[in-house]
Amino acid sequence: MPSVKQSRKQELLDELITYLAKHGIADLSLRPMATAVGSSARLLIFHFGSKEQLLEEVLGEMQARLQASFIAMAQAKRKGPLLRAFWDWALTEPNHPLLRLLYQLHMLASQSPKTYGRYLKRNSLNWLELIQAALPPEQRDPAFATLLGAVFDGLFIEYMSSGDKRRTTESLDSFIRMAQAHMASLSVPRPRR
């Protein structure tokens, strides 16, 4: 049975994820965040140890939830390509605000690699492994999985910047058609000379 401290910490994780998804992490300050979740900065430090540890645990929990949701989506029966299903999944609640937070973290890591770099590297490798595992066996090439992730990242950032869901979705569909044509060309036997 979890202790009172552990159950309160789990409640705080839930509330902090919601807070960060709404407010972001760029100008994060413990006092306003603590007040918003019905706590105090001192109690947050008591539960998490430091601001950095708090961020690491909260962002780790957020990642775990996103990745569990992605795995469930990838394992579900679906019509159409995985990348399109992933796109549709990413634009829905609760995934969109969490992914937006993840991309904000990417930008912060490029500015402050000492603070966020380790977390971000681990995160990127985890997503690459998940994408690879979700692909059909004949497509589980690390370079192809990296390409899928990079196209998704770029279009998601463009969507966040422009708000143009139609154009970014059409762009994704164009890429999917090109990737399908490429994969089909690889399976066609070449004539011998």
mmCIF file of all heavy atoms in Angstrom, residues 164-181:
data_model
loop_
_atom_site.group_PDB
_atom_site.id
_atom_site.type_symbol
_atom_site.label_atom_id
_atom_site.label_comp_id
_atom_site.label_asym_id
_atom_site.label_seq_id
_atom_site.Cartn_x
_atom_site.Cartn_y
_atom_site.Cartn_z
ATOM 1 N N ASP A 164 -2.158 25.944 -38.746
ATOM 2 C CA ASP A 164 -2.802 25.493 -39.982
ATOM 3 C C ASP A 164 -2.857 23.964 -40.038
ATOM 4 O O ASP A 164 -1.974 23.307 -40.589
ATOM 5 C CB ASP A 164 -2.056 26.052 -41.191
ATOM 6 C CG ASP A 164 -2.836 25.905 -42.490
ATOM 7 O OD1 ASP A 164 -3.711 25.006 -42.577
ATOM 8 O OD2 ASP A 164 -2.566 26.684 -43.417
ATOM 9 N N LYS A 165 -3.907 23.421 -39.463
ATOM 10 C CA LYS A 165 -4.072 21.966 -39.394
ATOM 11 C C LYS A 165 -4.256 21.361 -40.784
ATOM 12 O O LYS A 165 -3.699 20.305 -41.094
ATOM 13 C CB LYS A 165 -5.258 21.622 -38.496
ATOM 14 C CG LYS A 165 -5.469 20.151 -38.307
ATOM 15 C CD LYS A 165 -6.629 19.905 -37.356
ATOM 16 C CE LYS A 165 -6.886 18.425 -37.171
ATOM 17 N NZ LYS A 165 -8.007 18.182 -36.246
ATOM 18 N N ARG A 166 -5.043 22.014 -41.631
ATOM 19 C CA ARG A 166 -5.317 21.460 -42.961
ATOM 20 C C ARG A 166 -4.027 21.326 -43.775
ATOM 21 O O ARG A 166 -3.736 20.266 -44.323
ATOM 22 C CB ARG A 166 -6.326 22.336 -43.707
ATOM 23 C CG ARG A 166 -6.717 21.778 -45.080
ATOM 24 C CD ARG A 166 -7.630 22.703 -45.856
ATOM 25 N NE ARG A 166 -7.076 24.029 -46.074
ATOM 26 C CZ ARG A 166 -6.152 24.324 -47.004
ATOM 27 N NH1 ARG A 166 -5.679 23.382 -47.790
ATOM 28 N NH2 ARG A 166 -5.712 25.550 -47.127
ATOM 29 N N ARG A 167 -3.235 22.404 -43.848
ATOM 30 C CA ARG A 167 -2.020 22.379 -44.659
ATOM 31 C C ARG A 167 -0.997 21.382 -44.128
ATOM 32 O O ARG A 167 -0.381 20.641 -44.895
ATOM 33 C CB ARG A 167 -1.405 23.784 -44.715
ATOM 34 C CG ARG A 167 -0.146 23.874 -45.581
ATOM 35 C CD ARG A 167 0.350 25.310 -45.715
ATOM 36 N NE ARG A 167 0.523 25.992 -44.448
ATOM 37 C CZ ARG A 167 1.597 25.868 -43.658
ATOM 38 N NH1 ARG A 167 2.591 25.069 -44.001
ATOM 39 N NH2 ARG A 167 1.677 26.540 -42.527
ATOM 40 N N THR A 168 -0.806 21.349 -42.812
ATOM 41 C CA THR A 168 0.186 20.422 -42.254
ATOM 42 C C THR A 168 -0.280 18.972 -42.412
ATOM 43 O O THR A 168 0.539 18.089 -42.671
ATOM 44 C CB THR A 168 0.479 20.751 -40.777
ATOM 45 O OG1 THR A 168 -0.748 20.825 -40.044
ATOM 46 C CG2 THR A 168 1.232 22.068 -40.654
ATOM 47 N N THR A 169 -1.569 18.727 -42.306
ATOM 48 C CA THR A 169 -2.086 17.372 -42.500
ATOM 49 C C THR A 169 -1.939 16.951 -43.962
ATOM 50 O O THR A 169 -1.541 15.816 -44.252
ATOM 51 C CB THR A 169 -3.557 17.280 -42.045
ATOM 52 O OG1 THR A 169 -3.624 17.619 -40.654
ATOM 53 C CG2 THR A 169 -4.110 15.880 -42.234
ATOM 54 N N GLU A 170 -2.221 17.854 -44.884
ATOM 55 C CA GLU A 170 -2.029 17.548 -46.309
ATOM 56 C C GLU A 170 -0.553 17.280 -46.608
ATOM 57 O O GLU A 170 -0.224 16.402 -47.411
ATOM 58 C CB GLU A 170 -2.555 18.687 -47.177
ATOM 59 C CG GLU A 170 -4.071 18.753 -47.217
ATOM 60 C CD GLU A 170 -4.597 19.981 -47.963
ATOM 61 O OE1 GLU A 170 -3.784 20.805 -48.455
ATOM 62 O OE2 GLU A 170 -5.832 20.107 -48.053
ATOM 63 N N SER A 171 0.329 18.023 -45.970
ATOM 64 C CA SER A 171 1.769 17.793 -46.153
ATOM 65 C C SER A 171 2.159 16.405 -45.654
ATOM 66 O O SER A 171 2.935 15.697 -46.304
ATOM 67 C CB SER A 171 2.578 18.856 -45.410
ATOM 68 O OG SER A 171 2.327 20.128 -45.926
ATOM 69 N N LEU A 172 1.621 16.020 -44.518
ATOM 70 C CA LEU A 172 1.903 14.689 -43.986
ATOM 71 C C LEU A 172 1.386 13.618 -44.944
ATOM 72 O O LEU A 172 2.083 12.638 -45.230
ATOM 73 C CB LEU A 172 1.260 14.511 -42.609
ATOM 74 C CG LEU A 172 1.533 13.159 -41.967
ATOM 75 C CD1 LEU A 172 2.972 13.092 -41.462
ATOM 76 C CD2 LEU A 172 0.572 12.896 -40.834
ATOM 77 N N ASP A 173 0.172 13.805 -45.466
ATOM 78 C CA ASP A 173 -0.386 12.837 -46.416
ATOM 79 C C ASP A 173 0.480 12.724 -47.670
ATOM 80 O O ASP A 173 0.675 11.626 -48.202
ATOM 81 C CB ASP A 173 -1.822 13.217 -46.777
ATOM 82 C CG ASP A 173 -2.796 12.996 -45.625
ATOM 83 O OD1 ASP A 173 -2.480 12.206 -44.696
ATOM 84 O OD2 ASP A 173 -3.877 13.622 -45.638
ATOM 85 N N SER A 174 1.034 13.850 -48.145
ATOM 86 C CA SER A 174 1.936 13.820 -49.308
ATOM 87 C C SER A 174 3.191 13.009 -48.992
ATOM 88 O O SER A 174 3.647 12.196 -49.810
ATOM 89 C CB SER A 174 2.343 15.243 -49.718
ATOM 90 O OG SER A 174 1.248 15.932 -50.219
ATOM 91 N N PHE A 175 3.747 13.238 -47.820
ATOM 92 C CA PHE A 175 4.935 12.472 -47.436
ATOM 93 C C PHE A 175 4.612 10.978 -47.355
ATOM 94 O O PHE A 175 5.403 10.135 -47.806
ATOM 95 C CB PHE A 175 5.494 12.957 -46.095
ATOM 96 C CG PHE A 175 6.593 12.063 -45.594
ATOM 97 C CD1 PHE A 175 7.859 12.130 -46.146
ATOM 98 C CD2 PHE A 175 6.344 11.121 -44.605
ATOM 99 C CE1 PHE A 175 8.868 11.286 -45.713
ATOM 100 C CE2 PHE A 175 7.353 10.277 -44.168
ATOM 101 C CZ PHE A 175 8.619 10.353 -44.722
ATOM 102 N N ILE A 176 3.468 10.631 -46.783
ATOM 103 C CA ILE A 176 3.082 9.219 -46.656
ATOM 104 C C ILE A 176 2.988 8.570 -48.039
ATOM 105 O O ILE A 176 3.477 7.455 -48.241
ATOM 106 C CB ILE A 176 1.763 9.079 -45.870
ATOM 107 C CG1 ILE A 176 2.003 9.424 -44.392
ATOM 108 C CG2 ILE A 176 1.174 7.679 -46.008
ATOM 109 C CD1 ILE A 176 0.741 9.569 -43.569
ATOM 110 N N ARG A 177 2.390 9.275 -49.016
ATOM 111 C CA ARG A 177 2.302 8.720 -50.376
ATOM 112 C C ARG A 177 3.693 8.500 -50.965
ATOM 113 O O ARG A 177 3.958 7.468 -51.589
ATOM 114 C CB ARG A 177 1.465 9.631 -51.264
ATOM 115 C CG ARG A 177 -0.028 9.564 -50.973
ATOM 116 C CD ARG A 177 -0.858 10.292 -52.021
ATOM 117 N NE ARG A 177 -0.594 11.720 -52.074
ATOM 118 C CZ ARG A 177 -1.179 12.636 -51.294
ATOM 119 N NH1 ARG A 177 -2.072 12.250 -50.396
ATOM 120 N NH2 ARG A 177 -0.881 13.913 -51.416
ATOM 121 N N MET A 178 4.600 9.457 -50.749
ATOM 122 C CA MET A 178 5.973 9.289 -51.251
ATOM 123 C C MET A 178 6.667 8.109 -50.575
ATOM 124 O O MET A 178 7.348 7.315 -51.241
ATOM 125 C CB MET A 178 6.783 10.570 -51.020
ATOM 126 C CG MET A 178 6.392 11.708 -51.929
ATOM 127 S SD MET A 178 7.493 13.137 -51.782
ATOM 128 C CE MET A 178 7.053 13.765 -50.166
ATOM 129 N N ALA A 179 6.499 7.983 -49.263
ATOM 130 C CA ALA A 179 7.132 6.878 -48.532
ATOM 131 C C ALA A 179 6.561 5.536 -48.983
ATOM 132 O O ALA A 179 7.307 4.563 -49.148
ATOM 133 C CB ALA A 179 6.944 7.058 -47.026
ATOM 134 N N GLN A 180 5.241 5.474 -49.198
ATOM 135 C CA GLN A 180 4.623 4.227 -49.669
ATOM 136 C C GLN A 180 5.138 3.854 -51.059
ATOM 137 O O GLN A 180 5.421 2.689 -51.328
ATOM 138 C CB GLN A 180 3.101 4.360 -49.672
ATOM 139 C CG GLN A 180 2.510 4.355 -48.288
ATOM 140 C CD GLN A 180 1.016 4.666 -48.271
ATOM 141 O OE1 GLN A 180 0.507 5.399 -49.113
ATOM 142 N NE2 GLN A 180 0.336 4.135 -47.271
ATOM 143 N N ALA A 181 5.268 4.845 -51.946
ATOM 144 C CA ALA A 181 5.791 4.576 -53.288
ATOM 145 C C ALA A 181 7.230 4.076 -53.213
ATOM 146 O O ALA A 181 7.614 3.130 -53.921
ATOM 147 C CB ALA A 181 5.698 5.833 -54.151
#
